[in-house]
Every structure is written in structure tokens, then in C-alpha cells.
């Protein structure tokens, strides 16, 4: 048996919180000392671990209580579900980290619309204007974009994805040489001509975000085939590495 103070130190849960869990019926102590202090056995500690896992996944306490009190509650099944949810959270965090690193490298909010449908372009542009309207890259994009029609924007997306499709057809070969490198050069030129000046530094960062997961990867892979985004990223990094050596 462990005292409430020992459980608090072991779990990082405050004594006040453990008292509250007892009050609402979420986690009762196993027993009490003669002086009335709460005591917890290993079964109670195991339940506390389940509670903390559900809390980490942002379940409200009332829902956690309902789940744990359910007659057909399966601890192993719940743990498997918790593991999967935590994996998904980890994947999302990794995508956000890659996204943020890409922005940091570029120095501006990226104006790569390949991951967006044409219907979302305007909303994204408004957001970017509010946050980054003072940057040269955004001003250049805005000046050009104001003259474009919806059909123009749709054509740009089609042409951009066509480049990724060409890269995708080469994914079973070498990304570091030959035709793949020619298509990376075309991609860089297309971005510069239609969006903003695509320096090698910006291109390298775009390669990272293309393959980091989420909508960017999904849209490229949908257009060009599974694995195309990662192949494009590999080809882009090789292109930029070669140029930095010269």
C-alpha cells in the first residue's frame, strides 16, 4: 500500500487532485489508515495510469469515469486504442515540427498552394496577407495573383501537379541524377515564374514539407502515385546539395 503522498510523488498528480478524484468517484483509495489517510494498492495505481492516459488524450473526467465503469471495459483493448491515438498525436506533432522548420528556413510563410484545392486558395491568401503581407515574397505573389482569374489559378495547380506526376514516374529509379534532376530544375523554375522567387534554400525547405505528411504529401501522392512526395523530396535535396557544392 502507498500513502496519498507517495502516490502523488510517484505519479506527479497532486494530492488535491487525488482527493478530487476520490470525491467525484473516479478513483477511490483502496483503504485508509487509522488516522483517515488514503492508501492505494497496485490495482488503484494501474487505474490511475489509465486515467492519466485518457487525460493525455484530452478525454473529460466525466467521460473517463463512464468508460472505466462500463461493464464491458477491456483494459487491453483500451490500451491498444490509447497507443494508436498517441501515435497519431505523435505523427501530427512531427508534421507540425517539419512544417515550422520549413517556415523557419524559408523565412516567410510558404506560398506553395499545391496542397490546397482552388477553393481554399483565397482563404489561405487572406491568412497569409494578415501575417506576412510585409514580406517581399508575399508582395511579389500578391501583385501577380491579383491579375489571375480562377481558371488561371486552377491551371497553375494542374501544371504544378503535372511536374510531380513526371517525378512520380521516376520514383523507382535514382533521385540524385538524370531525368529526376531535370524535373526538379523545372519545378524550381515553375515556382519562380508563377509564385515567387524560389531560391535553393526555399526549394530545399519546400522539399521537406512536401514529404512531411498531411495534405501536402497526400495531394502529391494522389496526383502522382504513392511515394511520389518522398521521392520528390529526395530529388530536391540532392539537387540543392549538388548546387551548394559548386
Amino acid at each position: 500500500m502507498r500513502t496519498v503522498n507517495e502516490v502523488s510523488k510517484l505519479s506527479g498528480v497532486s494530492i488535491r487532485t487525488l482527493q478530487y478524484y476520490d470525491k467525484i468517484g473516479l478513483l477511490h483509495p483502496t483503504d485508509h489508515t487509522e488516522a483517515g489517510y488514503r492508501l492505494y494498492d497496485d490495482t488503484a495505481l494501474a487505474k490511475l495510469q489509465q486515467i492519466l492516459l485518457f487525460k493525455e488524450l484530452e478525454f473529460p473526467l466525466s467521460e473517463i469515469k463512464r468508460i472505466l465503469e462500463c461493464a464491458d471495459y477491456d483494459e487491453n483493448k483500451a490500451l491498444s486504442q490509447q497507443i494508436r491515438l498517441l501515435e497519431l498525436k505523435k505523427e501530427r506533432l512531427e508534421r507540425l515540427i517539419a512544417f515550422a522548420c520549413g517556415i523557419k528556413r524559408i523565412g516567410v510563410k510558404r506560398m506553395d498552394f499545391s496542397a490546397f484545392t482552388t477553393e481554399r486558395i483565397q482563404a489561405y491568401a487572406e491568412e497569409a496577407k494578415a501575417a506576412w503581407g510585409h514580406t517581399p515574397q508575399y508582395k511579389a505573389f500578391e501583385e501577380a495573383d491579383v491579375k489571375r482569374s480562377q481558371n488561371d489559378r486552377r491551371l497553375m495547380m494542374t501544371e504544378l501537379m503535372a511536374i510531380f506526376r513526371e517525378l512520380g514516374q521516376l520514383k523507382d529509379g535514382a533521385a540524385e541524377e538524370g531525368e529526376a534532376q531535370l524535373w526538379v530544375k523545372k519545378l524550381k523554375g515553375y515556382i519562380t515564374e508563377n509564385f515567387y522567387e524560389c531560391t535553393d534554400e526555399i526549394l530545399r525547405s519546400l522539399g521537406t514539407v512536401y514529404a512531411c505528411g498531411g495534405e501536402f504529401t497526400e495531394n502529391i501522392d494522389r496526383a502522382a502515385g504513392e511515394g511520389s512526395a518522398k521521392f520528390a523530396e529526395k530529388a530536391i535535396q540532392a539537387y540543392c546539395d549538388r548546387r551548394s557544392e559548386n
Side-chain angles (χ1 to χ4, degrees), residues 153-219:
R153 297 185 183 103
R154 190 174 294 109
L155 178 61
M156 286 167 57
M157 295 304 104
T158 300
E159 291 175 342
L160 189 62
M161 284 301 161
I163 295 175
F164 284 114
R165 276 195 292 273
E166 294 294 339
L167 273 167
Q169 291 179 10
L170 303 171
K171 63 178 177 287
D172 293 331
E176 300 84 359
E177 57 188 32
E179 197 172 353
Q181 291 297 294
L182 293 177
W183 280 106
V184 171
K185 184 177 180 180
K186 289 181 181 179
L187 174 65
K188 180 184 179 185
Y190 190 84
I191 294 171
T192 294
E193 183 179 350
N194 293 278
F195 293 97
Y196 48 82
E197 181 181 0
C198 185
T199 64
D200 289 346
E201 182 182 6
I202 288 176
L203 182 64
R204 187 186 293 276
S205 297
L206 289 174
T208 299
V209 295
Y210 287 149
C212 75
E215 287 185 284
F216 289 91
T217 304
E218 289 171 8
N219 278 276

Side-chain angles (χ1 to χ4, degrees), residues 84 100 128:
R84 180 55 185 151

